[in-house]
């Protein structure tokens, strides 16, 4: 389906100029929301037991087995432009969240695995090791959702970035922050209408998201810490930091759950296109109230 064309036609009907639609559309990404509340057929499941290739051992980090986080049937997912997920087969995500939470010091991906099982592979439901924690299986359905980079999102009272943005005096902004402010004011005068249109066409309150952006402060800082030399000196509000974050895309982005660990599986666009699943990076955060 031509999602960009659908958005353009709807925006033109609102009287928004074509060049402004083009500018906004270059930042608009469609993501896939996974939820147990949907009406469609299941596309996978959170938790439970995986189907592994016959003879394959349960994924582990040394002698530590990794719980199944998510299993998803790629062929059952809605297709998204410029998102190079496999057209079929199954993606399996494993992570030991408590161990991965210490990932600032651990090797990236040490306590997580992404496994791709092509269609036609002989598989069987895996018998879990005695020491692995098997979470409750929750079947999930898929729906599209609109996603924008952090600096273009509509703020709310719980988002520190927007409190920072709204309260900051012009003279206190960095040149990059001033550039973003000018861009939104001059080049996107219909930003509110465009945002509302995108969220109206593709709205999802899903617990788990595949694709889109993951450029919140903790995720960007974690990517910087795991991919740049120690003492890099960047913060998530810097131009280079946001550029680096835009090179990554969430393979599985778990929603924030207070008093719980939540995990984001990230991969660079070029590694996704080349199916280099071993290059995926995890960011696990413990969010205390």
């Amino acid at each position: 389906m031509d999602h960009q064309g659908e958005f353009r036609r709807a925006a033109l009907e609102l009287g928004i100029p074509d060049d402004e639609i083009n500018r906004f559309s270059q930042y608009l990404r469609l993501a896939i929301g996974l939820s147990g509340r949907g009406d469609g057929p299941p596309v996978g499941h959170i938790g439970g037991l995986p189907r592994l290739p016959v003879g394959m051992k349960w994924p582990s980090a040394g002698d530590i087995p990794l719980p199944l986080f998510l299993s998803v049937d790629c062929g059952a997912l809605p297709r998204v432009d410029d998102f190079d997920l496999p057209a079929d087969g199954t993606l399996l995500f494993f992570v030991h969240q408590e161990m991965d939470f210490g990932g600032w010091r651990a090797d990236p991906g040490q306590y997580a695995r992404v496994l791709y099982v092509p269609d036609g592979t002989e598989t069987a439901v895996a018998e879990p090791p005695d020491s692995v924690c098997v979470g409750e299986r929750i079947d999930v359905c898929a729906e599209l959702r609109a996603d924008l980079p952090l600096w273009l999102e509509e703020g709310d009272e719980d988002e520190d970035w927007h409190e920072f943005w709204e309260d900051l005096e012009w003279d206190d902004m960095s040149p990059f922050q001033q550039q973003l402010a000018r861009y939104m004011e001059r080049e996107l005068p219909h930003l509110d209408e465009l945002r509302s249109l995108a969220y109206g066409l593709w709205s999802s309150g899903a617990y788990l998201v595949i694709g889109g952006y993951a450029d919140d402060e903790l995720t960007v800082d974690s990517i910087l810490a795991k991919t740049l030399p120690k003492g890099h000196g960047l913060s998530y509000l810097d131009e280079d930091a946001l550029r680096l974050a835009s090179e990554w895309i969430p393979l599985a982005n778990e929603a924030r759950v207070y008093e719980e660990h939540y995990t984001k599986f990230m991969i660079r666009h070029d590694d996704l296109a080349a199916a280099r699943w071993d290059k995926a990076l995890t960011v696990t955060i413990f969010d205390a109230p």
Side-chain angles (χ1 to χ4, degrees):
M1 182 175 179
D2 182 11
H3 298 110
Q4 288 286 353
E6 179 184 5
F7 180 78
R8 177 180 302 279
R9 288 188 294 272
L12 287 172
E13 289 177 1
L14 294 175
I16 300 174
D18 188 68
D19 58 348
E20 185 178 352
I21 298 171
N22 287 338
R23 287 191 290 270
F24 180 85
S25 296
Q26 67 180 314
Y27 300 107
L28 175 63
R29 289 182 183 176
L30 291 189
I32 302 167
L34 303 179
S35 173
R37 304 184 304 272
D39 297 327
V43 299
H45 57 91
I46 298 168
L49 297 173
R51 293 191 67 90
L52 295 177
V54 172
M56 175 177 283
K57 293 183 178 180
W58 190 288
S60 64
D63 58 355
I64 302 175
L66 305 175
L68 177 68
F69 175 80
L70 172 68
S71 173
V72 65
D73 177 3
C74 296
L77 296 175
R79 305 313 297 173
V80 175
D81 295 338
D82 301 321
F83 188 19
D84 296 312
L85 281 176
D88 52 31
T90 301
L91 275 173
L92 300 164
F93 300 83
F94 297 83
V95 62
H96 193 300
Q97 291 183 304
E98 290 81 0
M99 299 295 290
D100 194 62
F101 172 57
W104 297 88
R105 293 175 298 277
D107 293 334
Q110 180 178 352
Y111 295 105
R113 298 286 184 278
V114 178
L115 174 65
Y116 175 66
V117 181
D119 271 2
T121 304
E122 185 180 1
T123 62
V125 176
E127 185 71 22
D130 292 339
S131 56
V132 74
C133 177
V134 178
E136 176 188 2
R137 173 173 171 147
I138 302 173
D139 289 341
V140 291
C141 305
E143 58 183 345
L144 291 177
R145 58 173 277 163
D147 206 8
L148 292 168
L150 182 67
W151 59 275
L152 273 181
E153 284 183 353
E154 185 175 8
D156 59 49
E157 62 184 7
D158 296 324
E159 182 55 70
D160 291 341
W161 158 257
H162 297 285
E163 292 178 1
F164 170 89
W165 185 265
E166 293 169 1
D167 294 341
L168 195 62
E169 296 292 337
W170 181 263
D171 291 341
D172 294 331
M173 292 183 184
S174 71
F176 175 61
Q177 292 157 10
Q178 292 177 351
Q179 177 185 346
L180 292 181
R182 289 193 189 100
Y183 182 85
M184 288 188 287
E185 180 179 357
R186 298 177 182 176
E187 305 298 331
L188 295 171
H190 297 88
L191 177 57
D192 289 342
E193 295 96 318
L194 289 164
R195 270 194 305 231
S196 296
L197 175 60
Y199 293 146
L201 288 171
W202 304 291
S203 178
S204 169
Y207 167 76
L208 193 62
V209 178
I210 297 174
Y213 290 92
D215 57 357
D216 59 276
E217 177 180 4
L218 290 173
T219 302
V220 173
D221 284 348
S222 295
I223 290 173
L224 294 173
K226 291 186 176 185
T227 59
L228 295 181
K230 188 176 180 180
H232 52 76
L234 291 178
S235 78
Y236 84 110
L237 295 175
D238 292 332
E239 181 177 9
D240 289 340
L242 290 180
R243 177 193 52 76
L244 177 63
S246 72
E247 296 173 0
W248 294 77
I249 192 165
L251 274 175
N253 187 6
E254 190 178 16
R256 170 181 281 181
V257 180
Y258 288 101
E259 299 187 78
E260 296 288 344
H261 293 91
Y262 61 98
T263 298
K264 304 171 190 289
F265 284 78
M266 307 289 295
I267 194 168
R268 291 183 187 271
H269 288 272
D270 55 349
D271 289 326
L272 174 61
R276 293 188 285 260
W277 309 113
D278 61 316
K279 300 296 185 181
L281 180 152
T282 53
V283 177
T284 296
I285 298 161
F286 183 80
D287 196 29

